[in-house]
Amino acid sequence: MATHAAAKKSIRQTKRRTRANGIRRNRVRLFIKKVEAAIASGDKELAAAAFRKAQPEMMRAARNKIFHRNQIARKLSRLSARIKAIAA
């Protein structure tokens, strides 16, 4: 167990950051699920609208290093391609 005050503080900070990052990670996953559900429904307009809402949230998570930036770029690219493939 930590005995120094600084070590105790870093444990508190780590817990707080871990909780916040988990919330942010879950938020991104929910946005991705909404886009995928819209794609599955076959509604291109709905899918595009969901994608526009998801994109800034995903980029914010990449900027804050919650997900790797390449992972987010890959997911955005694949979602965009799937939306474009929907018959208009």
Side-chain angles (χ1 to χ4, degrees), residues 24-81:
R24 290 179 183 130
R25 189 176 303 113
N26 188 44
R27 201 171 147 81
V28 168
R29 288 180 181 147
L30 287 171
F31 273 103
I32 291 171
K33 284 179 185 177
K34 286 179 185 177
V35 174
E36 288 177 343
I39 291 169
S41 73
D43 187 357
K44 193 170 188 173
E45 297 295 323
L46 182 66
F51 182 75
R52 278 193 300 273
K53 284 186 178 180
Q55 190 173 7
E57 194 69 35
M58 292 170 73
M59 293 305 293
R60 196 172 300 122
R63 188 178 63 233
N64 293 333
K65 298 180 179 157
I66 293 163
F67 290 97
H68 194 278
R69 66 182 186 277
N70 291 353
Q71 180 185 4
I72 293 297
R74 182 177 66 244
K75 285 184 181 292
L76 286 171
S77 176
R78 289 179 181 173
L79 286 172
S80 177

